[in-house]
Amino acid sequence: MASNENSGSESNSGAASSSTSKDGETPTQIQPFRMPTVEEVRAQDVWNNCVVRSVASGVMGGGLGLFMGMFLGALDNPIMQDEMTGRQQFIYTAKQMGRRSWSSCKTFAIMGLVFSAAECVTEKARAKHDITNTVVAGCVTGGTMSAKGD
């Protein structure tokens, strides 16, 4: 009975190996581990700096806020739209886009800077990279943004 089971498993494994050779597939080889170069290590050290990471996040947040403000400012309709000429509506919309984009730019830049700085500092202080750092950074950012409104 045991010899029957072994012969069945051998025939199955032989069929599996013959099917891979028929398809022409070669088994995947594990690539050797490549050590990072000196330049890669230096670049990683730069991006691990909390100040660099925070400033980059603030700049990217400001850019996002700029475009969102322009988009949302373009959607504003003037109150007296029926009484305004096309040129007046265009000027009003352009001014609204400028105001909204600058306001959103500042807000998103501050949010990005504060969130990234809080997350980085929390991560370095705890010496862990987990979701708790993100939660703490979110709380700090929310508190900062609400305190700024007063």
Side-chain angles (χ1 to χ4, degrees), residues 49-51 53-55 57 110-128 130-144:
N49 187 345
C50 289
V51 174
R53 195 184 296 182
S54 300
V55 169
S57 295
I110 291 170
M111 261 195 284
L113 184 108
V114 170
F115 182 86
S116 182
E119 185 178 35
C120 186
V121 167
T122 306
E123 184 177 321
K124 299 258 185 206
R126 294 182 66 234
K128 286 185 180 179
D130 59 2
I131 196 164
T132 305
N133 302 335
T134 307
V135 171
V136 169
C139 291
V140 169
T141 304
T144 302

Side-chain angles (χ1 to χ4, degrees), residues 26-43:
T26 59
T28 57
Q29 299 230 345
I30 298 174
Q31 297 296 322
F33 181 73
R34 183 184 67 85
M35 293 296 292
T37 63
V38 174
E39 291 83 17
E40 290 172 338
V41 171
R42 285 183 185 153

Side-chain angles (χ1 to χ4, degrees), residues 93-106:
T93 303
K95 286 181 181 179
Q96 280 300 105
M97 285 174 63
R99 284 187 207 114
R100 278 253 178 123
S101 63
W102 182 244
S103 174
S104 294
C105 178
K106 291 189 297 186

Side-chain angles (χ1 to χ4, degrees), residues 12-112:
N12 285 342
S13 66
S17 66
S18 64
S19 68
T20 55
S21 62
K22 286 180 185 176
D23 295 338
E25 295 177 15
T26 59
T28 57
Q29 299 230 345
I30 298 174
Q31 297 296 322
F33 181 73
R34 183 184 67 85
M35 293 296 292
T37 63
V38 174
E39 291 83 17
E40 290 172 338
V41 171
R42 285 183 185 153
Q44 191 175 23
D45 286 343
V46 168
W47 280 107
N48 282 338
N49 187 345
C50 289
V51 174
V52 172
R53 195 184 296 182
S54 300
V55 169
S57 295
V59 169
M60 287 189 277
L64 176 68
L66 186 74
F67 287 113
M68 282 186 60
M70 287 173 60
F71 175 72
L72 294 174
L75 297 177
D76 268 352
N77 288 330
I79 295 171
M80 302 202 191
Q81 185 174 3
D82 298 333
E83 300 170 9
M84 296 173 78
T85 64
R87 184 167 192 247
Q88 288 173 331
Q89 288 180 8
F90 178 77
I91 291 171
Y92 175 82
T93 303
K95 286 181 181 179
Q96 280 300 105
M97 285 174 63
R99 284 187 207 114
R100 278 253 178 123
S101 63
W102 182 244
S103 174
S104 294
C105 178
K106 291 189 297 186
T107 301
F108 276 84
I110 291 170
M111 261 195 284

